[in-house]
C-alpha cells in the first residue's frame, strides 16, 4: 500500500527493478552541485542539552494489534535488546539546522535540485513557481524554491517558525548534519524503543486511544489531520502543518512528538520482510537493519496522517523513502555518539 503521507510514494518513477528515482526527478535536474565549504565542528554539540538518557532493555518490537499495512512489514512481533543511548528530546529544529548551514555552507538536496514537495493548502509561492501536482498524490505540489529555509515555498521563511522541526531535508542532508554535530541517526529499533517511553505494546506514546476525553471534550495528544482529507483540515489540534517541536506532552522518557508532526529518518535500510528475519534469530541485540533495501526507514507519521487512509502515526508503523527524497513533512532527530 502506498504511503499517502509521503509524496515519494507516488512520485518516483521506476528506472531499474528495485531502484527508484526521488520526487525531484519529476520537477527537473539539479541546478548545481553542493557547496564546496569544509564542514566545521560546532562549539557545542547540537541537541546535547535536550538529550534524554534511554536505559538499556529488551522490548517487543512491531505491531501488537495486527492493524498495520501488510506491505510495511510491521509484523511479526519480535524481541529486541537495546543498549543504553542518548537521544534528542525533539526533532532538529529550523534554528538548529540554520546554525549548521551557517557554520558549513551546506546546501540541501532540495536547494540543489531547485524544487521540493509542499502540501497544497500550505503553499506560499507565485503561481509560476508551482510546477506540477505529484502523480497519485495530487495534494502534493512540486514547488520551485521550496526548501528547508522556505518550507512553504519561496514566499515563506524559516525564521517565522524557528522552533518548528526542520523539513525538506533528505536522508543525506540529515547525515551531513550529524557529521557536523558529532551525532548520528537512531536505528529503527532505537527509535521505537525510545518512542514507546518505557511502556510496552502501546498503540500511541500516551496509550491505546487517540484522544483523552475530559468532560466530553477530546484532548489532542499529537499533530495529525482532522477533517476531510485532503481538502479541509479543521485544525482542532491547532495546526495545519508543523507544530513547534515541543508541542503536546512528552512520553515517559521525555521525548516529544513521536507520533505525528513530521516523519523522522532512521539509519536503517527498509525491507518489509526484515522483521521475519529478526524473529528467526530469537532476541536480537542492537539490530542495525538490513544491508540492502528499497529506501531508508521513516518513523512517526506526520501532520497529514489520518486513520482513514494513512494510519501510520502509531508507534509500530513504518514507512520509507529514497535517501535523496525530501518534503514538507519529513525531518529527523539525532543520537549522541
Amino acid at each position: 500500500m502506498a504511503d499517502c503521507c509521503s509524496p515519494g510514494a507516488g512520485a518516483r518513477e521506476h528506472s531499474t527493478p528495485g531502484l527508484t528515482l526521488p520526487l525531484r526527478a519529476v520537477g527537473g535536474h539539479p541546478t548545481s552541485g553542493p557547496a564546496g565549504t569544509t564542514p566545521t565542528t560546532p562549539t557545542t554539540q547540537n541537541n546535547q542539552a535536550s538529550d534524554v538518557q534511554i536505559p538499556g532493555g529488551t522490548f517487543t518490537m512491531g505491531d501488537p494489534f495486527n492493524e498495520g499495512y501488510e506491505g510495511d512489514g510491521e509484523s511479526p512481533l519480535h524481541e529486541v535488546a537495546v543498549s543504553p543511548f542518548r537521544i534528542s528530546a525533539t526533532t532538529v529544529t529550523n534554528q538548529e539546522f540554520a546554525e549548521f548551514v551557517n557554520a558549513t555552507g551546506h546546501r540541501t538536496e532540495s536547494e540543489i535540485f531547485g524544487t521540493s514537495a509542499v502540501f497544497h493548502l500550505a503553499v506560499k509561492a507565485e503561481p509560476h513557481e508551482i510546477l506540477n501536482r505529484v502523480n497519485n498524490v495530487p495534494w502534493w505540489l512540486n514547488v520551485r524554491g521550496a526548501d528547508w529555509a522556505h518550507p512553504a515555498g519561496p514566499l515563506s521563511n524559516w525564521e517565522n517558525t524557528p522552533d518548528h522541526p526542520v523539513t525538506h531535508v533528505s536522508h543525506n542532508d540529515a547525515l551531513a548534519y550529524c557529521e557536523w554535530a558529532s551525532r548520528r541517526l537512531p536505528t529503527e529499533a532505537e527509535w521505537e524503543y525510545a518512542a514507546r517511553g518505557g511502556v510496552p505494546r502501546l498503540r500511541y506514546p500516551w496509550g491505546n486511544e487517540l484522544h483523552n476525553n475530559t468532560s466530553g471534550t477530546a484532548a489532542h495528544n499529537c499533530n495529525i489531520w482532522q477533517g476531510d482529507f485532503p481538502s479541509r483540515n479543521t485544525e482542532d489540534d491547532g495546526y495545519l502543518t508543523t507544530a513547534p517541536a515541543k508541542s503536546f506532552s512528552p512520553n515517559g522518557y521525555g521525548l516529544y512528538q513521536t507520533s505525528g508532526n513530521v516523519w523522522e529518518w532512521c539509519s536503517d535500510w527498509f525491507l518489509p520482510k526484515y522483521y521475519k528475519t529478526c524473529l528467526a534469530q530469537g532476541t536480537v541485540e542492537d539490530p542495525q537493519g538490513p544491508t540492502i533495501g528499497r529506501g531508508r526507514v521513516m518513523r512517526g507519521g506526520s501532520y497529514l496522517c489520518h486513520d482513514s487512509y494513512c494510519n501510520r502515526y502509531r508507534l509500530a508503523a513504518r514507512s520509507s523513502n529514497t535517501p535523496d527524497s525530501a518534503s514538507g513533512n519529513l525531518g529527523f532527530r539525532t543520537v549522541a555518539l
Side-chain angles (χ1 to χ4, degrees), residues 95-315:
Q95 179 66 55
E96 290 168 335
F97 200 80
E99 293 171 5
F100 157 62
V101 170
N102 289 339
T104 65
H106 178 81
R107 293 188 69 214
T108 61
E109 292 191 287
S110 293
E111 292 170 284
I112 293 169
F113 280 88
T115 69
S116 194
V118 180
F119 183 64
H120 72 120
L121 296 182
V123 172
K124 294 182 180 179
E126 298 293 347
H128 69 275
E129 302 290 0
I130 302 172
L131 302 183
N132 57 276
R133 292 185 181 271
V134 177
N135 292 335
N136 301 322
V137 280
W139 44 87
W140 284 107
L141 301 180
N142 203 20
V143 179
R144 182 183 291 114
D147 53 50
W148 79 269
H150 309 91
L155 300 182
S156 64
N157 193 294
W158 75 267
E159 293 180 345
N160 295 323
T161 53
D163 58 346
H164 287 227
V166 67
T167 56
H168 298 285
V169 285
S170 69
H171 193 272
N172 298 324
D173 295 324
L175 291 179
Y177 176 93
C178 287
E179 181 178 3
W180 169 76
S182 299
R183 298 178 69 84
R184 63 177 176 85
L185 293 176
T187 66
E188 184 178 20
E190 287 174 333
W191 189 96
E192 184 172 327
Y193 182 63
R196 290 188 174 279
V199 184
R201 301 194 180 213
L202 289 181
R203 180 176 284 115
Y204 309 113
W206 55 87
N208 291 330
E209 300 300 324
L210 181 59
H211 298 112
N212 297 330
N213 291 311
T214 304
S215 301
T217 302
H220 292 276
N221 297 297
C222 64
N223 177 20
I224 56 175
W225 186 271
Q226 301 95 46
D228 302 318
F229 188 87
S231 59
R232 185 181 67 92
N233 189 339
T234 61
E235 301 180 41
D236 289 344
D237 60 14
Y239 305 98
L240 173 64
T241 59
T242 59
K246 281 193 173 181
S247 301
F248 306 99
S249 298
N251 72 5
Y253 285 145
L255 273 67
Y256 289 85
Q257 301 200 77
T258 54
S259 284
N261 211 25
V262 294
W263 283 101
E264 300 179 24
W265 286 116
C266 293
S267 62
D268 306 41
W269 287 104
F270 178 84
L271 277 182
K273 63 182 180 181
Y274 178 63
Y275 284 8
K276 294 181 181 178
T277 302
C278 291
L279 183 66
Q281 300 173 10
T283 300
V284 183
E285 296 186 3
D286 295 320
Q288 303 297 303
T291 57
I292 59 172
R294 65 187 192 195
R296 294 288 184 175
V297 170
M298 307 187 308
R299 284 302 208 110
S302 82
Y303 56 81
L304 295 181
C305 282
H306 188 272
D307 60 7
S308 66
Y309 77 100
C310 178
N311 189 16
R312 289 185 176 89
Y313 49 92
R314 297 166 294 104
L315 288 169

